[in-house]
Amino acid sequence: MATAVGSAAIDSRVEEFIHKPRHMFINNQWVPAASGKTFPTYNPATGEILAQVAEGDKEDINRAVRAARAAFENPAWTYMTASQRGRLIWKLADLIESRTEEFAQLESLDNGKPLAVARVADVPLTVDLFHYMAGWTTKIEGNTIPISIGSKRTQYFAYTRREPVGVVGQIIPWNFPLLMAAWKLGPALATGCCVVLKPAEQTPLSVLLLAELVAEAGFPEGVVNVVPGYGETAGAALAAHPDVDKVAFTGSTEVGKLILQAAAGNLKKVSLELGGKSPNIIFEDADARSTIPGAASAIFFNHGQCCCAGSRLYIEKNMFDQVVEGVAEQAKKIKVGPGFEPDTNMGPLVSKEQLDRVCNYLESGLNEGAEAVVGGKKKDGAGYFVEPTVLVKTNPNMKVVREEIFGPVVTASPFSDIDQIVAEANNTEYGLAAGVWTKDLSKAHRVAHKLRAGTVWINCYNVFDAALPFGGYKQSGWGREMGHEVLELYTEVKAICAAI
Ligand code: NAI
Ligand code: MG
């Protein structure tokens, strides 16, 4: 079962972890699903079953929410000092770091990404996120407010407190399974919330290992609960649950809208981090040596399975041929293969569904008259591999230009006018991220200000930091994750006014 994965050896602890069916994590205990059902998770490099996982459903979600509610009322958590809470989060980060290799291997096996990438990106970014959030626990402050009523006889003392929003449901995707869990759990724990988290059905394993460390770090029971399962069942039950105070979701815009509807029942707070179709704009005065590899990795990193992937490349006319050829050259150099092969640069897509989606987009683009300078199809054989692809001769109405593909496919079009290109870049229902490449920094900042996107990278792309807020304009979402901004999503402001 766990042997045919490629040439690197599987860590014996990982082997053991995936060998027996994984239970769900409720009240710091491992329990099977109420129904007794399990579901398979697959190795996308081979298409074979990797492990069996408890299949959570409504009853399990109910049980986990009850555990989280009890934890939210448990003095061991509510009266824990901010400093102590910070120490627990810091300890969790250290525990994750000490198990880096196991996490990286689970991530590579379950999601398909190169082991080397999981080692240097997914796991260290997760560790950083928890370390960063640990520091916030002691800095979540209110204000004293000079209100304008009162007299010498009656005076008022008014202040605000930031209190945890309560029990939070978190639903995360499969593209960065561990890191997305960290983006959600970090601020929830820093603010004193309690959590029921549902990982994506494609990639539940690394989050289940994380849950083991939550207990080891010493969090009181019920503060973090993990219920694996499908979106339409476990996810929907969590989004609709009447005793959940907030739901935080990352995934498709389509499901984001369903979450919003489900949340309406008890008007729970909602934060959404959704899809994107991010423009990457290259001016002809850009430094070709850094811009070309930058534009290539903007789309090809994580196989294009990034919500912020630089998937629409706009290149100023005189540089068009050079950049397209350069990015195509980069694509040809990418070694596509199983994540466990040491020289793999790009692994398989996460699932058969995702492979079919991406292939349908490729077909639709080519049928509508686009041309593949490189790539354009899936790779034959087992596993969900697709070729890194650069499409030219597109027009703004094509589906490949308008819709999120979520695969290693970039469209490239030339432009000649700055106002026109800003308008074209903004001509999308999304607004997650954008890139601008030029040596003229005034131009770069002016364009950055005009782009309707939550993040703009200048002469770089995919630069993430726990201190940098991330999220979307328009249909790319509601709210910002990371930075101090995220704390607002997990706290309620209470105004207290006393006559003194
Ligand atoms: P999805 O949005 O269906 O899945 C994301 C999470 O939502 C998973 O945990 C899933 O179980 C859950 N979910 C699904 N339906 C739900 C429902 N009715 N109620 C509650 N939770 C539900 O994404 P999917 O189907 O895996 O991928 C489809 C497309 O979505 C991708 O091709 C990509 O375009 C986009 N996507 C965007 C992501 C992002 O980071 N913004 C991440 C994953 C997918
Ligand atoms: Mg779906």
Side-chain angles (χ1 to χ4, degrees), residues 174 201-202 232 252 254-255:
W174 40 260
E201 54 269 37
Q202 296 85 351
E232 298 73 13
S252 60
E254 186 192 349
V255 173

Side-chain angles (χ1 to χ4, degrees), residues 339-368:
F340 261 57
E341 299 281 356
D343 56 349
T344 289
N345 312 118
M346 186 186 281
L349 299 182
V350 73
S351 63
K352 173 79 169 57
E353 291 72 37
Q354 201 56 26
L355 178 69
D356 291 344
R357 272 178 64 99
V358 172
C359 290
N360 285 338
Y361 275 115
L362 286 172
E363 225 180 279
S364 119
L366 297 173
N367 285 342
E368 286 182 286

Side-chain angles (χ1 to χ4, degrees), residues 10-15 17 95-109 115 118-119 123 178 205-206 209 212-213 340:
I10 299 187
D11 188 295
S12 60
R13 289 166 301 179
V14 171
E15 186 95 51
F17 190 85
L95 286 171
I96 296 166
E97 190 168 32
S98 73
R99 312 273 294 262
T100 294
E101 184 59 19
E102 281 165 84
F103 277 111
Q105 292 202 4
L106 280 177
E107 217 65 327
S108 175
L109 289 171
L115 183 52
R119 282 179 185 141
V123 185
L178 177 67
L205 297 177
S206 56
L209 180 59
E212 211 170 287
L213 305 189
F340 261 57

Side-chain angles (χ1 to χ4, degrees), residues 127 210 213 258 287 302 315 340 370 458 497:
V127 172
L210 175 69
L213 305 189
L258 295 177
D287 174 5
N302 213 42
I315 307 157
F340 261 57
I458 296 174
C497 183

Side-chain angles (χ1 to χ4, degrees), residues 174 202 251-255 274-277 303-307 349-366 376-378 384-386 391 399-400 402-409 429-430:
W174 40 260
Q202 296 85 351
S252 60
T253 294
E254 186 192 349
V255 173
L274 308 174
K277 190 72 185 176
H303 329 164
Q305 300 171 134
C306 294
C307 47
L349 299 182
V350 73
S351 63
K352 173 79 169 57
E353 291 72 37
Q354 201 56 26
L355 178 69
D356 291 344
R357 272 178 64 99
V358 172
C359 290
N360 285 338
Y361 275 115
L362 286 172
E363 225 180 279
S364 119
L366 297 173
K377 54 186 194 313
K378 68 176 185 179
Y384 314 133
F385 298 96
V386 66
L391 296 177
K399 264 170 57 168
V400 285
R402 304 220 65 80
E403 297 179 18
E404 180 173 55
I405 298 177
F406 228 63
V409 182
E429 67 196 32
Y430 294 115

Side-chain angles (χ1 to χ4, degrees), residues 46 120 122 138 171 174 210 235 240 252 357-358 387 408 422 483:
T46 60
V120 300
D122 298 71
T138 48
I171 300 171
W174 40 260
L210 175 69
S252 60
R357 272 178 64 99
V358 172
E387 297 172 346
V422 167

Side-chain angles (χ1 to χ4, degrees), residues 184-270:
K184 297 271 183 288
L185 285 173
L189 296 173
T191 51
C193 295
C194 296
V195 176
V196 176
L197 184 144
K198 192 202 81 65
E201 54 269 37
Q202 296 85 351
T203 55
L205 297 177
S206 56
V207 179
L208 291 170
L209 180 59
L210 175 69
E212 211 170 287
L213 305 189
V214 164
E216 194 180 330
F219 285 91
E221 59 181 32
V223 169
V224 175
N225 306 277
V226 177
V227 180
Y230 292 101
E232 298 73 13
T233 51
L238 186 54
H241 200 290
D243 200 32
V244 168
D245 299 297
K246 169 194 164 61
V247 61
F249 172 75
T250 298
S252 60
T253 294
E254 186 192 349
V255 173
K257 290 177 185 177
L258 295 177
I259 301 279
L260 201 52
Q261 286 167 13
N266 70 333
L267 281 181
K268 56 175 70 69
K269 309 290 184 276
V270 178

